[in-house]
Amino acid sequence: MHVPDGFINAPVSVAAGVAAAAAVAVSLRGARRELDERTAPLAGLVAAFIFAVQMLNFPVAAGTSGHLLGGALAAILVGPYTGVLCVSVVLLMQGILFADGGLTALGVNITVMGVVTVVTAHLVFRGLLGVLPRTRRSVTVAAFAAALLSVPAAAAAFTAVYAVGGTTDVPLGKVLTAMVGVHVLIGIGEALITTATVGAVIAVRPDLVHGARGLAAPLKLRVDGALVDAPAAAAAPAPAAAGRSTKKVWATGLVTALVLAGFVSFYASADPDGLEKVAADKGIDEKVEEHAAAGSPLADYGVKDVEDARLSGGLAGVIGVGVTVVAGTGIFWAVRRRTTDAPTATSTATPVA
């Protein structure tokens, strides 16, 4: 759903840029409460994983494909504030290096693909967890619904932006119907990918899933045939997982992202994605502009002067994952460092565990 240059006029693009910058600023502050020494490097990995999976377009209808947006996945794994930052890092790397998503439309893309998906997914996810039993299965069920609904919400948000600042005169009712319709189908794919990923992490390290924190059911003991809550001391050993190293999870995730982007991406659908298809069918793309980074050596997810398509695309994917994980990890470590440094300058109180 990457919006290219030329779809939205300059005033609305600027306004969306201001809104996106404000959302990123708020997220930077909020992420300080979500990140710790374990999750900061994992947030960079989440951004790299989203980049990799976005290269895997899957068919959803005749002549149309879709790909992961990633807002729901990021919000559930690392938190909503950090999730907005993850998607923003991905979109920035894609726009600058791969000419994917217009640079003048970067604010629109961050707002639609980052903020709207994350906020929608977070509200749906938390709302469902408030009524479902406090189990790991509830987390995956809520993740499925959150991811499913976040995609058509983003499609509706794009249509709203286009209604205000679109550069062509098209029937908005038909655009909304087409956008939401095809993105409901894409949302199913998003939900399956999100649920599988969240479920895989929960299976090995539930303590690393932001959305699963505090959901463990209290330990029960059977006393005289009745189940009662165990004393706090009996349940105390459970948090020991929090002290385990994240190196194995990080390495496994990085290798998975590299394989997906460097090898599996070659077999992705070549059909236009939902927005591209609707734009072509409804005439939204009449004033599309050439990307400012069209001359990038990595434009269109290929390495310039490498003639073999499989090798070119694979190298581009590997480079993209590498750059994204380095940039993302650097940003999140910097945010985390500001969090840990701030109290020492203002207080000498004993930290609370």
Side-chain angles (χ1 to χ4, degrees):
M1 195 190 289
H2 295 74
V3 180
D5 296 318
F7 274 26
I8 307 298
N9 63 32
V12 174
S13 294
V14 170
V18 172
V24 169
V26 171
S27 297
L28 284 169
R29 293 180 64 86
R32 298 177 190 173
R33 299 190 297 272
E34 296 173 343
L35 295 171
D36 55 34
E37 63 277 1
R38 295 177 302 122
T39 56
L42 290 177
L45 177 62
V46 169
F49 184 79
I50 290 173
F51 175 93
V53 181
Q54 282 196 0
M55 294 182 66
L56 309 180
N57 280 48
F58 48 86
V60 295
T64 309
S65 70
H67 62 73
L68 182 82
L69 297 187
L73 178 62
I76 295 166
L77 289 180
V78 293
Y81 294 108
T82 309
V84 169
L85 298 180
C86 283
V87 178
S88 298
V89 168
V90 172
L91 293 171
L92 183 62
M93 296 299 104
Q94 290 171 332
I96 294 176
L97 298 178
F98 298 91
D100 189 11
L103 295 184
T104 62
L106 182 60
V108 174
N109 283 320
I110 289 177
T111 300
V112 171
M113 295 179 63
V115 179
V116 172
T117 58
V118 167
V119 171
T120 301
H122 179 66
L123 292 177
V124 172
F125 182 78
R126 285 299 172 191
L128 288 175
L129 287 187
V131 297
L132 292 173
R134 299 172 68 81
T135 64
R136 295 180 184 179
R137 178 170 295 183
S138 295
V139 174
T140 57
V141 170
F144 185 94
L148 174 62
L149 295 176
S150 69
V151 178
F158 165 77
T159 306
V161 172
Y162 195 84
V164 178
T167 55
T168 57
D169 186 15
V170 296
L172 294 175
K174 293 183 178 180
V175 172
L176 177 62
T177 301
M179 282 292 292
V180 172
V182 72
H183 283 91
V184 166
L185 299 178
I186 295 173
I188 296 174
E190 176 107 8
L192 293 173
I193 295 170
T194 299
T195 304
T197 305
V198 171
V201 179
I202 286 181
V204 295
R205 291 294 301 272
D207 58 300
L208 297 180
V209 179
H210 184 276
R213 293 178 181 176
L215 289 179
L219 182 63
K220 298 284 187 179
L221 296 178
R222 186 173 294 277
V223 179
D224 296 331
L227 290 176
V228 298
D229 290 339
R244 293 164 54 189
S245 171
T246 61
K247 291 182 180 179
K248 183 179 292 188
V249 174
W250 196 92
T252 301
L254 181 60
V255 169
T256 302
L258 289 171
V259 170
L260 292 175
F263 176 73
V264 181
S265 63
F266 179 77
Y267 301 97
S269 173
D271 290 332
D273 69 18
L275 175 59
E276 291 173 326
K277 178 65 173 175
V278 172
D281 290 346
K282 305 301 180 183
I284 293 175
D285 60 353
E286 288 182 4
K287 297 185 179 180
V288 66
E289 300 173 2
E290 184 179 22
H291 200 288
S296 167
L298 297 173
D300 297 323
Y301 298 93
V303 177
K304 187 177 181 180
D305 298 329
V306 176
E307 296 183 359
D308 184 272
R310 177 174 297 186
L311 179 60
S312 178
L315 285 175
V318 168
I319 292 170
V321 168
V323 171
T324 303
V325 75
V326 170
T329 302
I331 291 171
F332 296 124
W333 267 119
V335 173
R336 175 60 186 162
R337 185 181 297 275
R338 291 191 62 182
T339 304
T340 55
D341 289 348
T344 61
T346 59
S347 175
T348 58
T350 303
V352 178

